[in-house]
């Protein structure tokens, strides 16, 4: 792992190595393999951030499992509630299915707390969240991460799918912003 990297104007330092990430994903997959055996779960990774984590996690699953990547788009609703979030690419019926949402990182929890009710509406048999990273100090919306990789401080992270203004997703490790 190189010592520090620069993206645009910001400097990042190593935080979680490839080996540490891989080990933790294996551990998460073992839990999922046990808990979803015979249930044919449907994994729903949320793009773009989760694509690398989702792929690595999925490869470690030894049970029968399906995957359907989605992208969330938010637009201004006509209701007073303001933003409405819709899922692009969700082509599978969730009724009666065991669903696992796959997220790179849960920060404030806003995205998921606004989106999950739409999924519950379809009456899945169960609905859980698997997230590689969670910033508990930043989470102000009522979100429970059922399968968690790492609990992390409220700092900006980069790499392994996480971007800074579009860049850095391809870095194979996770870096942390060096604050000036
Ligand atoms: P939330 O709705 O605040 O939980 O936001 C979650 C989304 O914000 C994640 O799926 C990421 O795309 C993005 N995000 C949150 N924290 C970071 C970070 O530290 N680095 C890069 N992206 C982040
Ligand atoms: Mg994301």
């Amino acid at each position: 792992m190189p010592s520090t990297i620069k993206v645009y104007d910001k400097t990042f330092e190593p935080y979680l190595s490839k080996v540490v990430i891989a080990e933790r994903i294996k551990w998460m997959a073992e839990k999922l393999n046990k808990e979803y055996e015979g249930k044919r779960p449907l994994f729903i990774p949320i793009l773009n951030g989760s694509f690398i984590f989702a792929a690595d996690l999925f490869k470690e699953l030894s049970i029968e499992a399906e995957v359907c990547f989605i992208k969330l788009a938010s637009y201004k609703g006509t209701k007073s509630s303001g933003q409405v979030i819709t899922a692009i690419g969700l082509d599978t019926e969730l009724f009666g299915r065991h669903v696992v949402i796959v997220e790179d990182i849960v920060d404030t929890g806003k995205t998921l707390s606004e989106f999950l009710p739409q999924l519950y509406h379809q009456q899945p048999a169960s609905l859980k969240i698997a997230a590689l990273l969670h910033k508990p100090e930043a989470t102000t919306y009522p979100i429970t991460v059922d399968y968690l990789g790492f609990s992390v401080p409220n700092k900006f992270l980069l790499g392994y799918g996480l971007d800074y203004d579009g860049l850095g997703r391809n870095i194979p490790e996770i870096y942390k912003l060096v604050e000036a």
Side-chain angles (χ1 to χ4, degrees), residues 46-50 102-106 111 161-163 169:
I46 300 176
L47 292 170
N48 292 318
S50 70
V102 182
E103 260 287 35
D104 48 354
I105 184 162
V106 175
T111 315
L162 297 165
D163 72 306
R169 294 194 197 274

Side-chain angles (χ1 to χ4, degrees), residues 49 103-112 135 155-158 162-164 169:
E103 260 287 35
D104 48 354
I105 184 162
V106 175
D107 186 15
T108 64
K110 187 174 192 289
T111 315
L112 286 183
K135 294 179 180 171
K155 308 276 180 204
F156 192 80
L157 302 176
L158 181 78
L162 297 165
D163 72 306
Y164 168 43
R169 294 194 197 274

Side-chain angles (χ1 to χ4, degrees), residues 131-173:
L132 180 64
L133 307 162
H134 180 213
K135 294 179 180 171
E137 292 161 42
T139 308
T140 52
Y141 290 79
I143 286 297
T144 304
V145 179
D146 304 286
Y147 300 93
L148 176 63
F150 304 92
S151 191
V152 296
N154 192 8
K155 308 276 180 204
F156 192 80
L157 302 176
L158 181 78
Y160 200 76
L162 297 165
D163 72 306
Y164 168 43
D165 206 6
L167 294 182
R169 294 194 197 274
N170 51 323
I171 298 164
E173 304 92 9

Side-chain angles (χ1 to χ4, degrees), residues 47-101:
L47 292 170
N48 292 318
S50 70
F51 76 117
I52 293 178
F53 168 52
D56 283 349
L57 181 69
F58 206 69
K59 282 187 287 183
E60 296 295 337
L61 296 176
S62 54
I63 53 170
E64 279 191 346
E66 290 179 46
V67 68
C68 175
F69 280 82
I70 63 164
K71 187 150 189 165
L72 297 182
S74 56
Y75 60 92
K76 275 244 182 282
T78 47
K79 292 186 203 146
S80 55
S81 58
Q83 284 206 329
V84 179
I85 292 187
T86 52
I88 299 168
L90 189 55
D91 57 5
T92 310
E93 281 286 326
L94 303 189
F95 182 79
R97 298 295 307 266
H98 292 280
V99 175
V100 183
I101 301 295

